[in-house]
Amino acid sequence: MPSVLVLNGPNLNLLGTRKPEVYGSTTLADVEAMCRDAAGRHGLTAEFRQSNHEGQLIDWVHEFGARAKAGECIGAVFNPGAYTHTSVALHDAIEGAELPVVECHISNVHKREAFRHHSFISPVARGIVVGFGVRGYVLAIDGLAALHEEGRASS
Ligand code: DQA
């Protein structure tokens, strides 16, 4: 069964206790369960990873890019946290590994501080889900699965 990678960047391990007025009270373990259900509805398994370290995230993007090319993975739902706004290296990794990515943000970053308005990830993302709370992860999995099916139908 092919997989979908759900990748979370820095501080998302604090979900549930970090700024609940912005990010809600759902924990990352709850999000993982939601993602496993959503993936299962599309006949996929969810591979769930979180790291506070940019290099580790880059290594996973490379690994899963290769697995996507091998047909073992349909791509990734990626919440890069604050690296969204800073990381040329993650931009280059996604582009270089050709990993299909749906960028996902729990909060509406465009309603927040100006430094959150720019994303280095968006230009290399297949799609973007912003501001739907943690249900955005499920919407992003649905969207990535739809894009994947569309690609298969037209090839
Ligand atoms: C976030 C938004 C980022 O600006 C922030 O640094 C995060 C979480 C979100 O999911 O809304 O860590 O990616």
Side-chain angles (χ1 to χ4, degrees), residues 10-12 18 23 79-82 84-85 104-107 109 112 116:
N11 301 309
L12 288 155
R18 169 195 181 204
Y23 299 115
N79 184 345
T84 306
H85 319 298
C104 176
H105 300 286
I106 298 164
S107 64
V109 285
R112 301 180 62 195
R116 295 185 203 276

Side-chain angles (χ1 to χ4, degrees), residues 72-126:
E72 297 166 10
C73 164
I74 69 160
V77 169
F78 187 16
N79 184 345
Y83 287 143
T84 306
H85 319 298
T86 63
S87 182
V88 177
L90 276 168
H91 168 114
D92 286 353
I94 293 164
E95 189 173 50
E98 299 180 285
L99 178 67
V101 162
V102 174
E103 179 183 350
C104 176
H105 300 286
I106 298 164
S107 64
N108 179 355
V109 285
H110 299 289
K111 242 169 77 173
R112 301 180 62 195
E113 303 96 321
F115 65 81
R116 295 185 203 276
H117 295 179
H118 180 261
S119 168
F120 282 100
I121 307 305
S122 298
V124 290
R126 296 288 308 276

Side-chain angles (χ1 to χ4, degrees), residues 20-43:
E21 70 284 7
V22 176
Y23 299 115
S25 52
T26 309
T27 67
L28 197 61
D30 297 329
V31 172
E32 179 171 354
M34 288 164 57
C35 289
R36 291 195 187 286
D37 283 352
R41 287 195 289 277
H42 295 285

